[in-house]
Amino acid sequence: MYDSSESPDSDGQPVVTARGDEARRLSVFDLIGLAAGGMIGSGWLFAALYGRKLDYTSLWIWVADGALMLVLAVVMVELGTARPKTGGLIFLPLQSSGPLVAIIMAAGLWIFYVTDGVSQAFAMTKALSLSSPGLWTDGPQPEITRWGLVCATALLAVFAAVNLLPPRLFVKVVLGLTVWKVLVSFLVVAALFTTGHHGAVLPADLQEHCRQSPQDQQDQADLHMLVSSSVLFSYVGFQLPLDFAGHVKQKDKEAGKDKGIGEATRLRRAVYGSLAGAFVLYVAAQLALLHHSELGTCSPKDPRTIMAVAKVTGVMTYPFLIDALVAPLATGLVFAHALTREVAALSAAHLTHRNLRTIRGTFIKVRGRSHEVYWKVLLVNFAVGAVIVTAIHGSWEKVSAMNGTLMLVVYAMPGVVLVALSPECSRRRRIVRGILARVGFLSIALVLFWVQRDSLWYGMAALLAGCVLLLGLPALARSGLPVLGRGAYDAQSHLALLRQWRTNPAAGAGVLLLAYLAALTLLRLLPDGWLWQSRPAARLVVLVLAAVVFEGLVRLSGRHIRGPGNTTAGPPPAPAPAPVPAPAPDGTDVVTPPPPLP
C-alpha cells in the first residue's frame, strides 16, 4: 500500500508531501551521526600512515587542510541555515545561477557521492581479503581480483538494500555504527601511543609482506598526492547534515513561546562539532603513528597493512579488525542515503528524469507508518557504482583522485551562491561572509593547481562525462532514436542554452564555470618550466584567474536572480497553478523547488 499527499508543483505535476519519518525529526545527535559516519571512513588512519614519510611536517598539512575545510564549512553552514532545504547543494545553485550551473554541480556531486561508496566497498573488500585471500592478489603490487570486484559490487548492493529501511530506523542504525567506530578510533589511537613508547615490533611474516616498493615511496614523498587526496579526503563528510537541512527539528512552540534550539543551531553544532572532532582524531593519529618506525615499511595498498596496524595496537587488535569493516560500511551507507535526497531534488527540479523524484509509488506502509523509498534512485546509483568498480579495477588512487577533485569543485560553488543570494543579515556579517566565500574559492583553486596531473585529469574527465549525460540525455529523448528517443527520458533540455551564453546570464554563468575548470586543468597539465619561470608566478596567475571568475559568477548570478521570468526550477509554470499548501502542524515538509526570489 502507498500513502501520499499530493499537490501541484511549478509545472502542474504532483509533488508528494513527506510524512512521518521524513518530517522534521533529525536532532543534533542524528546530524552528528550522519556527519561523523561520513567522515570517519576506510582511510581515517591510513592517511596518517601516508604522512609518516614527511615526519612532523605532516602535522602542518593536517592543520592547513583542517583550516581550509573550516572556512568552507562556515560558508556552507551560513548558506544552509539561511536557506534550509533538503537537497540544497543542487537547489541553491539552481536558484542563484540557473540550470547550467546546477547541472554542473549535480554531475560533480552525483559522481562524488557514488565514488565515495565505491571506495568504501573496496576498503571492505580489502579487509575481507585477510580471511579470503582470493579477493586480493599477493606480491609487491597487490591488486583486486575478479572475485574481489564481484565482492565490491555486492557490497554496493548492500548499501542500497539497507537504505530501503524506514529513515528513522536507518538513522538509528547509522548512529549505532558511528558510535562504535568513533569509540574504537580514539581507543586505537590511545593504544598506538601506549605501544609506541614500548617499542612494539611487527611479527616477521608481516614485516616480509608489508615491504614498500620504490614506486610507493615515491608516491608517499609527493606532497601534492598527500594534500590532494589522502588528507583532504579524510575531512569529507562534514556537509552531510546540510543535505538534510529541510528535515531538521525546529523549535517547539507552545503557548506562543519558542522552546529549545532551532534548526540553524542544530546544523551549526553538528557540522562544527563533527569537523572539530575529526581534526582532533586525525592529528592524534598522525602523532601516534610517528612513534611507530616499524610501520614505515608498510604500504597502505597491501591488505596485510591492516593486520600490521592491528598487531601494534595490542589489546585493540580485534576491535580494530572489526572496525576495518564497520567504518567503511557506515560511510558507504551515509553517502548512499544522502545521494538519494540530492538526486530526488535534482529530479524535482526537472534536471534529470522526473520519475526519480518523490512521486506516487515511493511511499509505502510498514506496520501502519508511511515512509519514503527511493528505490529507483538507489537502483540507478548502484548501476553507476558497478560501472565505476569495473572501470577503475580496484585502484584506490583513481578513486581518491576522482573524489578529491570533484569534492573541491562541489565545495567551491556555495561561496558564489552565498554572495549572490545575499541572505538578510547585518552589514558586518555580510562582509565576513563575502571574505570567507572568496578565501574558500581562491584556496580551492590553489589546491586544484597542486593536485597531481593524473588526479586532476581523472576528476575533470568524470565531471565532463556527468555533464554530457545530464545535458545530452534530455536532448536525445526528443529525437527518434530507439530506447532513448520519443520522450523515454523525461527531463527538460537545457543544451540549447549554451548558444545564449552572451545574452542569457544563466547560460553565461554555466559557460564561465566550465571555461574556468578547463583553464585550471590546462594550466596544471602544462609541462613544468613551460611558461612558468617560478612557482610563485604560477600561483599568482591561478589566484588572479580564480578572483576574476568568482566576481564574474557573482555578477552573472545576480543578473539571473533579478531577471524577468526567473522561476529557479526548470520548466515554466503552468497557467494558474494551484497554490502549494503550507506545511502541516506536525512538521511535514513539501519536496518541491523553492519559490522564486523577488
Side-chain angles (χ1 to χ4, degrees), residues 173-340:
V173 170
V174 169
L175 190 58
L177 294 175
T178 301
V179 169
W180 160 270
K181 67 179 183 177
V182 169
L183 180 61
V184 169
S185 299
F186 279 99
L187 290 177
V188 164
V189 171
L192 287 173
F193 273 115
T194 303
T195 57
H197 289 296
H198 287 83
V201 179
L202 286 176
D205 58 335
L206 289 178
Q207 290 186 21
E208 180 66 24
H209 286 96
C210 291
R211 300 288 182 185
Q212 285 182 308
S213 65
Q215 182 63 41
D216 288 337
Q217 295 175 358
Q218 181 180 351
D219 288 344
Q220 290 188 18
D222 192 331
L223 181 61
H224 297 169
M225 185 68 176
L226 185 63
V227 172
S228 64
S229 60
S230 301
V231 177
L232 269 179
F233 183 62
S234 300
Y235 286 108
V236 171
F238 71 84
Q239 84 289 347
L240 287 171
L242 300 173
D243 290 329
F244 299 88
H247 291 133
V248 180
K249 280 184 178 180
Q250 295 176 313
K251 289 185 178 181
D252 297 327
K253 295 185 177 181
E254 183 178 333
K257 296 182 179 180
D258 292 339
K259 292 185 177 181
I261 60 176
E263 56 188 340
T265 303
R266 286 187 169 92
L267 283 171
R268 290 191 180 95
R269 290 182 179 179
V271 174
Y272 297 149
S274 59
L275 193 57
F279 174 77
V280 172
L281 174 63
Y282 297 149
V283 172
Q286 187 68 80
L287 285 171
L289 286 177
L290 289 174
H291 289 279
H292 289 272
S293 58
E294 70 275 16
L295 292 178
T297 60
C298 294
S299 170
K301 299 178 182 179
D302 196 327
R304 290 177 177 81
T305 300
I306 300 174
M307 183 62 71
V309 176
K311 288 294 184 180
V312 300
T313 60
V315 296
M316 293 300 298
T317 297
Y318 290 107
F320 179 79
L321 292 176
I322 296 174
D323 190 63
L325 290 174
V326 172
L329 171 63
T331 302
L333 291 176
V334 169
F335 273 94
H337 190 63
L339 184 56
T340 58

Side-chain angles (χ1 to χ4, degrees), residues 118-459:
V118 171
S119 68
Q120 306 308 322
F122 282 150
M124 293 183 68
T125 302
K126 186 182 293 187
L128 290 171
S129 69
L130 294 175
S131 57
S132 302
L135 302 178
W136 220 270
T137 63
D138 197 0
Q141 293 290 344
E143 294 181 353
I144 195 170
T145 65
R146 292 184 178 180
W147 283 113
L149 293 176
V150 172
C151 179
T153 306
L155 289 171
L156 291 179
V158 171
F159 296 162
V162 177
N163 268 276
L164 295 176
L165 293 173
R168 292 185 66 189
L169 178 59
F170 176 86
V171 171
K172 291 180 180 179
V173 170
V174 169
L175 190 58
L177 294 175
T178 301
V179 169
W180 160 270
K181 67 179 183 177
V182 169
L183 180 61
V184 169
S185 299
F186 279 99
L187 290 177
V188 164
V189 171
L192 287 173
F193 273 115
T194 303
T195 57
H197 289 296
H198 287 83
V201 179
L202 286 176
D205 58 335
L206 289 178
Q207 290 186 21
E208 180 66 24
H209 286 96
C210 291
R211 300 288 182 185
Q212 285 182 308
S213 65
Q215 182 63 41
D216 288 337
Q217 295 175 358
Q218 181 180 351
D219 288 344
Q220 290 188 18
D222 192 331
L223 181 61
H224 297 169
M225 185 68 176
L226 185 63
V227 172
S228 64
S229 60
S230 301
V231 177
L232 269 179
F233 183 62
S234 300
Y235 286 108
V236 171
F238 71 84
Q239 84 289 347
L240 287 171
L242 300 173
D243 290 329
F244 299 88
H247 291 133
V248 180
K249 280 184 178 180
Q250 295 176 313
K251 289 185 178 181
D252 297 327
K253 295 185 177 181
E254 183 178 333
K257 296 182 179 180
D258 292 339
K259 292 185 177 181
I261 60 176
E263 56 188 340
T265 303
R266 286 187 169 92
L267 283 171
R268 290 191 180 95
R269 290 182 179 179
V271 174
Y272 297 149
S274 59
L275 193 57
F279 174 77
V280 172
L281 174 63
Y282 297 149
V283 172
Q286 187 68 80
L287 285 171
L289 286 177
L290 289 174
H291 289 279
H292 289 272
S293 58
E294 70 275 16
L295 292 178
T297 60
C298 294
S299 170
K301 299 178 182 179
D302 196 327
R304 290 177 177 81
T305 300
I306 300 174
M307 183 62 71
V309 176
K311 288 294 184 180
V312 300
T313 60
V315 296
M316 293 300 298
T317 297
Y318 290 107
F320 179 79
L321 292 176
I322 296 174
D323 190 63
L325 290 174
V326 172
L329 171 63
T331 302
L333 291 176
V334 169
F335 273 94
H337 190 63
L339 184 56
T340 58
R341 274 59 182 174
E342 293 290 351
V343 174
L346 182 68
S347 180
H350 211 188
L351 299 180
T352 188
H353 194 36
R354 76 168 58 197
N355 285 340
L356 294 179
R357 67 176 167 176
T358 310
I359 61 172
R360 186 185 300 108
T362 60
F363 279 77
I364 66 173
K365 274 190 173 182
V366 176
R367 295 182 178 179
R369 296 182 62 87
S370 298
H371 69 274
E372 290 176 301
V373 176
Y374 293 84
W375 66 270
K376 294 179 182 178
V377 179
L378 291 169
L379 183 61
V380 171
N381 294 339
F382 168 75
V384 175
V387 171
I388 295 176
V389 165
T390 305
I392 63 179
H393 202 75
S395 172
W396 171 260
E397 290 77 9
K398 292 180 181 179
V399 173
S400 61
M402 292 192 338
N403 271 344
T405 302
L406 295 175
M407 171 196 71
L408 292 171
V409 172
V410 171
Y411 285 0
M413 197 60 196
V416 175
V417 177
L418 180 63
V419 176
L421 290 178
S422 188
E424 293 185 6
C425 63
S426 65
R427 182 174 179 273
R428 179 179 298 179
R429 190 166 188 172
R430 184 176 291 107
I431 292 175
V432 173
R433 284 175 173 176
I435 293 174
L436 292 178
R438 289 168 173 84
V439 169
F441 193 88
L442 269 61
S443 300
I444 286 177
L446 278 180
V447 175
L448 285 173
F449 183 70
W450 288 335
V451 170
Q452 279 191 335
R453 291 184 176 90
D454 291 343
S455 300
L456 185 63
W457 170 247
Y458 288 137

Side-chain angles (χ1 to χ4, degrees), residues 58-69:
S58 59
L59 295 176
W60 292 106
I61 297 174
W62 285 105
V63 172
D65 288 346
L68 172 60
M69 286 299 171

